[in-house]
Amino acid sequence: MSIKGKAYIMGAYEHPLRDAPDKSTPQLHAECAKGALEDAGLTKDDIDGYFCAGDAPGFGAMSMVDYMGLRNVRHMDSTETGGSSYLLHVGHAAQAIAEGKCSVALVTLAGRPRQNKFFGGGAGKPGQLTDGPPEAGYENIYGGSTHNTYGMCAMRHMYEYGTTSEQLAWIKVAASHHAQYNEHAFLKDVVTVEQVVNSRMISDPLHLLDCCVVTDGGGALIVTSPEVAKSLNRPKVKVMGAGEAPKGPMGGRGLDLTHSGAVWSGPIAFGEAGVKPSDIKYASIYDSFTITVLMQLEDLGFCEKGQGGKFVADGNLISGVGKLPFNTDGGGLCNNHPTNRGGITKVIEAVRQLRGEAHPKVQVPNCDIALAHGTGGSLGTRHGAATLIMEREA
């Protein structure tokens, strides 16, 4: 069953805090839910579907439904694919709505990584039985971290295609140009290519300014049936297509570090929506690191494989300057990456653009079709990819 036109995003809310020492994670979820409901013009009693991922504490959906007092929920989904989960949730909500399982779905994300520090790595011997993920005994012993697995992808891309640190830096520069207009952005200062490549090396070839911010906070979305959408006095954002796909190393067999799961999720979403990359007016692209953006742009078809460096250079991602405005809120590189999961913020800014509610300095003229794409996990090992295409309904 196609979900094209079967559901609408009618509420979107991004928590304004980036540092929340005095709030609990459940409280942040609830505040985000309240904000999205108010944006849509609905109440919590209208919610009959709830979607969350691993950031929701306790028993996930069960705990949060009870905590938030959602009395009428009859459909739950706690699919976990890391930072891409929330884009999957929009697609899953649209599917559930199309099947009559619910009519008003709430999607929430929240967390406090700035308060609850965690560290990667681990222990174990090769082949040792563990109660953790199956790969732990084979990979954790080498001390892999998020930074160095993405660094491997960047280094391989440079080796294969001649991509440069200066080209990657343009992605951060574009994000910073947008963040300066966002009052809630964690980093508001505009940076230059030189500042990025001269910042401290984190995992060769990725510098400090190639990495996303770490923030508290969260966000929420309201996805409704067409009938509910018609009853609301709000701009209507139609869900046109969604795609999802996993990608892993498969024990090292056939691993290609230069492509992401977007090579599979993108065509599914474009095919369902009936559009092509050249039709997209605005793109929200997951930006845990600059290399994440470059690889996804290639894999989604905005440019040929290996041409991402040239595509992002010279301000091509800056709204009002380049051909493909991206992450006009500042993205995870400058604005917000709540609980180390940036997927929901990608949908939220796409909704703002389609509604014409982005900051005037970055609003894309005549923005009628937008794409949001998320990556969850690690490009260098295993990850989930999710692509969502949305359209403004006149």
PDB file of all heavy atoms in Angstrom, residues 162-187:
ATOM      1  N   GLY A 162      39.308  11.817  -4.361  1.00  0.00           N
ATOM      2  CA  GLY A 162      40.045  13.070  -4.306  1.00  0.00           C
ATOM      3  C   GLY A 162      39.351  14.171  -3.526  1.00  0.00           C
ATOM      4  O   GLY A 162      39.717  15.346  -3.650  1.00  0.00           O
ATOM      5  N   THR A 163      38.364  13.820  -2.723  1.00  0.00           N
ATOM      6  CA  THR A 163      37.677  14.793  -1.874  1.00  0.00           C
ATOM      7  C   THR A 163      38.676  15.433  -0.919  1.00  0.00           C
ATOM      8  O   THR A 163      39.601  14.772  -0.441  1.00  0.00           O
ATOM      9  CB  THR A 163      36.565  14.090  -1.075  1.00  0.00           C
ATOM     10  OG1 THR A 163      35.732  13.369  -1.983  1.00  0.00           O
ATOM     11  CG2 THR A 163      35.727  15.082  -0.292  1.00  0.00           C
ATOM     12  N   THR A 164      38.484  16.713  -0.619  1.00  0.00           N
ATOM     13  CA  THR A 164      39.434  17.428   0.230  1.00  0.00           C
ATOM     14  C   THR A 164      38.772  17.918   1.520  1.00  0.00           C
ATOM     15  O   THR A 164      37.554  18.030   1.612  1.00  0.00           O
ATOM     16  CB  THR A 164      40.004  18.659  -0.505  1.00  0.00           C
ATOM     17  OG1 THR A 164      38.951  19.627  -0.699  1.00  0.00           O
ATOM     18  CG2 THR A 164      40.591  18.266  -1.864  1.00  0.00           C
ATOM     19  N   SER A 165      39.632  18.211   2.499  1.00  0.00           N
ATOM     20  CA  SER A 165      39.136  18.764   3.763  1.00  0.00           C
ATOM     21  C   SER A 165      38.463  20.109   3.545  1.00  0.00           C
ATOM     22  O   SER A 165      37.501  20.460   4.234  1.00  0.00           O
ATOM     23  CB  SER A 165      40.294  18.911   4.752  1.00  0.00           C
ATOM     24  OG  SER A 165      40.775  17.653   5.168  1.00  0.00           O
ATOM     25  N   GLU A 166      38.968  20.864   2.596  1.00  0.00           N
ATOM     26  CA  GLU A 166      38.373  22.172   2.300  1.00  0.00           C
ATOM     27  C   GLU A 166      36.951  22.011   1.767  1.00  0.00           C
ATOM     28  O   GLU A 166      36.057  22.801   2.097  1.00  0.00           O
ATOM     29  CB  GLU A 166      39.228  22.921   1.288  1.00  0.00           C
ATOM     30  CG  GLU A 166      40.537  23.468   1.842  1.00  0.00           C
ATOM     31  CD  GLU A 166      41.606  22.390   2.038  1.00  0.00           C
ATOM     32  OE1 GLU A 166      41.419  21.264   1.517  1.00  0.00           O
ATOM     33  OE2 GLU A 166      42.604  22.661   2.722  1.00  0.00           O
ATOM     34  N   GLN A 167      36.730  20.996   0.945  1.00  0.00           N
ATOM     35  CA  GLN A 167      35.378  20.756   0.428  1.00  0.00           C
ATOM     36  C   GLN A 167      34.437  20.348   1.557  1.00  0.00           C
ATOM     37  O   GLN A 167      33.309  20.849   1.641  1.00  0.00           O
ATOM     38  CB  GLN A 167      35.422  19.683  -0.654  1.00  0.00           C
ATOM     39  CG  GLN A 167      36.077  20.162  -1.943  1.00  0.00           C
ATOM     40  CD  GLN A 167      36.298  19.039  -2.946  1.00  0.00           C
ATOM     41  OE1 GLN A 167      36.444  17.878  -2.579  1.00  0.00           O
ATOM     42  NE2 GLN A 167      36.363  19.394  -4.225  1.00  0.00           N
ATOM     43  N   LEU A 168      34.875  19.464   2.439  1.00  0.00           N
ATOM     44  CA  LEU A 168      34.051  19.096   3.591  1.00  0.00           C
ATOM     45  C   LEU A 168      33.731  20.320   4.444  1.00  0.00           C
ATOM     46  O   LEU A 168      32.624  20.466   4.961  1.00  0.00           O
ATOM     47  CB  LEU A 168      34.767  18.045   4.443  1.00  0.00           C
ATOM     48  CG  LEU A 168      34.878  16.625   3.885  1.00  0.00           C
ATOM     49  CD1 LEU A 168      35.673  15.748   4.839  1.00  0.00           C
ATOM     50  CD2 LEU A 168      33.500  16.024   3.641  1.00  0.00           C
ATOM     51  N   ALA A 169      34.709  21.213   4.565  1.00  0.00           N
ATOM     52  CA  ALA A 169      34.531  22.398   5.404  1.00  0.00           C
ATOM     53  C   ALA A 169      33.387  23.280   4.911  1.00  0.00           C
ATOM     54  O   ALA A 169      32.716  23.952   5.714  1.00  0.00           O
ATOM     55  CB  ALA A 169      35.827  23.199   5.454  1.00  0.00           C
ATOM     56  N   TRP A 170      33.134  23.286   3.605  1.00  0.00           N
ATOM     57  CA  TRP A 170      32.046  24.106   3.069  1.00  0.00           C
ATOM     58  C   TRP A 170      30.686  23.706   3.633  1.00  0.00           C
ATOM     59  O   TRP A 170      29.764  24.524   3.713  1.00  0.00           O
ATOM     60  CB  TRP A 170      32.031  24.018   1.545  1.00  0.00           C
ATOM     61  CG  TRP A 170      32.890  25.046   0.882  1.00  0.00           C
ATOM     62  CD1 TRP A 170      34.085  24.857   0.255  1.00  0.00           C
ATOM     63  CD2 TRP A 170      32.629  26.451   0.807  1.00  0.00           C
ATOM     64  NE1 TRP A 170      34.576  26.039  -0.201  1.00  0.00           N
ATOM     65  CE2 TRP A 170      33.710  27.046   0.118  1.00  0.00           C
ATOM     66  CE3 TRP A 170      31.587  27.263   1.260  1.00  0.00           C
ATOM     67  CZ2 TRP A 170      33.766  28.418  -0.137  1.00  0.00           C
ATOM     68  CZ3 TRP A 170      31.649  28.627   1.018  1.00  0.00           C
ATOM     69  CH2 TRP A 170      32.725  29.192   0.325  1.00  0.00           C
ATOM     70  N   ILE A 171      30.543  22.457   4.042  1.00  0.00           N
ATOM     71  CA  ILE A 171      29.280  22.000   4.627  1.00  0.00           C
ATOM     72  C   ILE A 171      29.059  22.683   5.972  1.00  0.00           C
ATOM     73  O   ILE A 171      27.965  23.160   6.272  1.00  0.00           O
ATOM     74  CB  ILE A 171      29.290  20.469   4.756  1.00  0.00           C
ATOM     75  CG1 ILE A 171      29.416  19.830   3.366  1.00  0.00           C
ATOM     76  CG2 ILE A 171      28.040  19.974   5.471  1.00  0.00           C
ATOM     77  CD1 ILE A 171      29.698  18.342   3.386  1.00  0.00           C
ATOM     78  N   LYS A 172      30.110  22.729   6.777  1.00  0.00           N
ATOM     79  CA  LYS A 172      30.034  23.435   8.062  1.00  0.00           C
ATOM     80  C   LYS A 172      29.813  24.925   7.844  1.00  0.00           C
ATOM     81  O   LYS A 172      29.022  25.561   8.571  1.00  0.00           O
ATOM     82  CB  LYS A 172      31.325  23.210   8.849  1.00  0.00           C
ATOM     83  CG  LYS A 172      31.431  24.025  10.130  1.00  0.00           C
ATOM     84  CD  LYS A 172      30.531  23.495  11.209  1.00  0.00           C
ATOM     85  CE  LYS A 172      30.831  24.194  12.543  1.00  0.00           C
ATOM     86  NZ  LYS A 172      30.167  23.527  13.675  1.00  0.00           N
ATOM     87  N   VAL A 173      30.482  25.494   6.866  1.00  0.00           N
ATOM     88  CA  VAL A 173      30.325  26.927   6.575  1.00  0.00           C
ATOM     89  C   VAL A 173      28.872  27.231   6.231  1.00  0.00           C
ATOM     90  O   VAL A 173      28.289  28.204   6.734  1.00  0.00           O
ATOM     91  CB  VAL A 173      31.265  27.347   5.423  1.00  0.00           C
ATOM     92  CG1 VAL A 173      30.933  28.756   4.954  1.00  0.00           C
ATOM     93  CG2 VAL A 173      32.724  27.259   5.863  1.00  0.00           C
ATOM     94  N   ALA A 174      28.260  26.396   5.397  1.00  0.00           N
ATOM     95  CA  ALA A 174      26.861  26.616   5.021  1.00  0.00           C
ATOM     96  C   ALA A 174      25.948  26.531   6.237  1.00  0.00           C
ATOM     97  O   ALA A 174      25.058  27.374   6.432  1.00  0.00           O
ATOM     98  CB  ALA A 174      26.436  25.595   3.970  1.00  0.00           C
ATOM     99  N   ALA A 175      26.171  25.525   7.078  1.00  0.00           N
ATOM    100  CA  ALA A 175      25.352  25.375   8.284  1.00  0.00           C
ATOM    101  C   ALA A 175      25.482  26.592   9.189  1.00  0.00           C
ATOM    102  O   ALA A 175      24.493  27.067   9.775  1.00  0.00           O
ATOM    103  CB  ALA A 175      25.759  24.108   9.029  1.00  0.00           C
ATOM    104  N   SER A 176      26.692  27.116   9.308  1.00  0.00           N
ATOM    105  CA  SER A 176      26.909  28.273  10.184  1.00  0.00           C
ATOM    106  C   SER A 176      26.252  29.539   9.631  1.00  0.00           C
ATOM    107  O   SER A 176      25.768  30.382  10.396  1.00  0.00           O
ATOM    108  CB  SER A 176      28.412  28.501  10.396  1.00  0.00           C
ATOM    109  OG  SER A 176      29.043  29.035   9.245  1.00  0.00           O
ATOM    110  N   HIS A 177      26.219  29.673   8.314  1.00  0.00           N
ATOM    111  CA  HIS A 177      25.541  30.822   7.717  1.00  0.00           C
ATOM    112  C   HIS A 177      24.059  30.809   8.073  1.00  0.00           C
ATOM    113  O   HIS A 177      23.444  31.867   8.259  1.00  0.00           O
ATOM    114  CB  HIS A 177      25.727  30.814   6.200  1.00  0.00           C
ATOM    115  CG  HIS A 177      26.966  31.507   5.738  1.00  0.00           C
ATOM    116  ND1 HIS A 177      27.015  32.846   5.421  1.00  0.00           N
ATOM    117  CD2 HIS A 177      28.232  31.041   5.555  1.00  0.00           C
ATOM    118  CE1 HIS A 177      28.235  33.183   5.057  1.00  0.00           C
ATOM    119  NE2 HIS A 177      28.997  32.108   5.126  1.00  0.00           N
ATOM    120  N   HIS A 178      23.472  29.622   8.167  1.00  0.00           N
ATOM    121  CA  HIS A 178      22.057  29.508   8.520  1.00  0.00           C
ATOM    122  C   HIS A 178      21.837  29.677  10.022  1.00  0.00           C
ATOM    123  O   HIS A 178      20.870  30.303  10.446  1.00  0.00           O
ATOM    124  CB  HIS A 178      21.528  28.150   8.058  1.00  0.00           C
ATOM    125  CG  HIS A 178      21.604  27.955   6.581  1.00  0.00           C
ATOM    126  ND1 HIS A 178      21.789  26.715   5.991  1.00  0.00           N
ATOM    127  CD2 HIS A 178      21.537  28.839   5.552  1.00  0.00           C
ATOM    128  CE1 HIS A 178      21.818  26.843   4.675  1.00  0.00           C
ATOM    129  NE2 HIS A 178      21.685  28.125   4.386  1.00  0.00           N
ATOM    130  N   ALA A 179      22.725  29.110  10.826  1.00  0.00           N
ATOM    131  CA  ALA A 179      22.560  29.133  12.282  1.00  0.00           C
ATOM    132  C   ALA A 179      22.587  30.539  12.859  1.00  0.00           C
ATOM    133  O   ALA A 179      21.985  30.793  13.907  1.00  0.00           O
ATOM    134  CB  ALA A 179      23.651  28.285  12.938  1.00  0.00           C
ATOM    135  N   GLN A 180      23.251  31.459  12.189  1.00  0.00           N
ATOM    136  CA  GLN A 180      23.340  32.819  12.725  1.00  0.00           C
ATOM    137  C   GLN A 180      21.971  33.463  12.882  1.00  0.00           C
ATOM    138  O   GLN A 180      21.805  34.403  13.675  1.00  0.00           O
ATOM    139  CB  GLN A 180      24.222  33.684  11.825  1.00  0.00           C
ATOM    140  CG  GLN A 180      23.646  33.944  10.440  1.00  0.00           C
ATOM    141  CD  GLN A 180      24.509  34.848   9.589  1.00  0.00           C
ATOM    142  OE1 GLN A 180      24.962  35.912  10.049  1.00  0.00           O
ATOM    143  NE2 GLN A 180      24.763  34.438   8.348  1.00  0.00           N
ATOM    144  N   TYR A 181      20.968  32.963  12.160  1.00  0.00           N
ATOM    145  CA  TYR A 181      19.625  33.537  12.239  1.00  0.00           C
ATOM    146  C   TYR A 181      18.697  32.758  13.179  1.00  0.00           C
ATOM    147  O   TYR A 181      17.527  33.110  13.325  1.00  0.00           O
ATOM    148  CB  TYR A 181      18.995  33.570  10.836  1.00  0.00           C
ATOM    149  CG  TYR A 181      19.830  34.335   9.838  1.00  0.00           C
ATOM    150  CD1 TYR A 181      20.463  33.686   8.783  1.00  0.00           C
ATOM    151  CD2 TYR A 181      20.004  35.713   9.961  1.00  0.00           C
ATOM    152  CE1 TYR A 181      21.227  34.391   7.865  1.00  0.00           C
ATOM    153  CE2 TYR A 181      20.777  36.426   9.059  1.00  0.00           C
ATOM    154  CZ  TYR A 181      21.393  35.756   8.008  1.00  0.00           C
ATOM    155  OH  TYR A 181      22.160  36.455   7.107  1.00  0.00           O
ATOM    156  N   ASN A 182      19.224  31.716  13.810  1.00  0.00           N
ATOM    157  CA  ASN A 182      18.423  30.880  14.702  1.00  0.00           C
ATOM    158  C   ASN A 182      18.740  31.242  16.145  1.00  0.00           C
ATOM    159  O   ASN A 182      19.832  30.970  16.634  1.00  0.00           O
ATOM    160  CB  ASN A 182      18.736  29.401  14.436  1.00  0.00           C
ATOM    161  CG  ASN A 182      17.892  28.453  15.259  1.00  0.00           C
ATOM    162  OD1 ASN A 182      17.209  28.841  16.203  1.00  0.00           O
ATOM    163  ND2 ASN A 182      17.934  27.180  14.905  1.00  0.00           N
ATOM    164  N   GLU A 183      17.799  31.845  16.826  1.00  0.00           N
ATOM    165  CA  GLU A 183      18.053  32.323  18.190  1.00  0.00           C
ATOM    166  C   GLU A 183      18.354  31.186  19.165  1.00  0.00           C
ATOM    167  O   GLU A 183      18.965  31.402  20.215  1.00  0.00           O
ATOM    168  CB  GLU A 183      16.849  33.114  18.705  1.00  0.00           C
ATOM    169  CG  GLU A 183      15.562  32.310  18.813  1.00  0.00           C
ATOM    170  CD  GLU A 183      14.416  33.104  19.408  1.00  0.00           C
ATOM    171  OE1 GLU A 183      14.694  33.925  20.306  1.00  0.00           O
ATOM    172  OE2 GLU A 183      13.265  32.920  18.984  1.00  0.00           O
ATOM    173  N   HIS A 184      17.940  29.975  18.846  1.00  0.00           N
ATOM    174  CA  HIS A 184      18.164  28.858  19.743  1.00  0.00           C
ATOM    175  C   HIS A 184      19.396  28.025  19.380  1.00  0.00           C
ATOM    176  O   HIS A 184      19.731  27.082  20.096  1.00  0.00           O
ATOM    177  CB  HIS A 184      16.940  27.933  19.743  1.00  0.00           C
ATOM    178  CG  HIS A 184      15.682  28.605  20.174  1.00  0.00           C
ATOM    179  ND1 HIS A 184      15.538  29.224  21.394  1.00  0.00           N
ATOM    180  CD2 HIS A 184      14.484  28.771  19.529  1.00  0.00           C
ATOM    181  CE1 HIS A 184      14.320  29.731  21.502  1.00  0.00           C
ATOM    182  NE2 HIS A 184      13.681  29.470  20.380  1.00  0.00           N
ATOM    183  N   ALA A 185      20.065  28.362  18.301  1.00  0.00           N
ATOM    184  CA  ALA A 185      21.191  27.552  17.836  1.00  0.00           C
ATOM    185  C   ALA A 185      22.298  27.491  18.888  1.00  0.00           C
ATOM    186  O   ALA A 185      22.624  28.495  19.539  1.00  0.00           O
ATOM    187  CB  ALA A 185      21.745  28.106  16.534  1.00  0.00           C
ATOM    188  N   PHE A 186      22.890  26.319  19.039  1.00  0.00           N
ATOM    189  CA  PHE A 186      23.971  26.128  20.002  1.00  0.00           C
ATOM    190  C   PHE A 186      25.201  26.915  19.580  1.00  0.00           C
ATOM    191  O   PHE A 186      25.893  27.506  20.417  1.00  0.00           O
ATOM    192  CB  PHE A 186      24.287  24.629  20.101  1.00  0.00           C
ATOM    193  CG  PHE A 186      25.185  24.266  21.238  1.00  0.00           C
ATOM    194  CD1 PHE A 186      24.687  24.154  22.521  1.00  0.00           C
ATOM    195  CD2 PHE A 186      26.537  24.017  21.031  1.00  0.00           C
ATOM    196  CE1 PHE A 186      25.515  23.810  23.584  1.00  0.00           C
ATOM    197  CE2 PHE A 186      27.371  23.674  22.081  1.00  0.00           C
ATOM    198  CZ  PHE A 186      26.857  23.573  23.366  1.00  0.00           C
ATOM    199  N   LEU A 187      25.511  26.922  18.297  1.00  0.00           N
ATOM    200  CA  LEU A 187      26.640  27.685  17.757  1.00  0.00           C
ATOM    201  C   LEU A 187      26.103  28.668  16.726  1.00  0.00           C
ATOM    202  O   LEU A 187      25.591  28.266  15.686  1.00  0.00           O
ATOM    203  CB  LEU A 187      27.665  26.753  17.099  1.00  0.00           C
ATOM    204  CG  LEU A 187      28.299  25.669  17.967  1.00  0.00           C
ATOM    205  CD1 LEU A 187      29.218  24.785  17.130  1.00  0.00           C
ATOM    206  CD2 LEU A 187      29.067  26.277  19.136  1.00  0.00           C
TER     207      LEU A 187
END
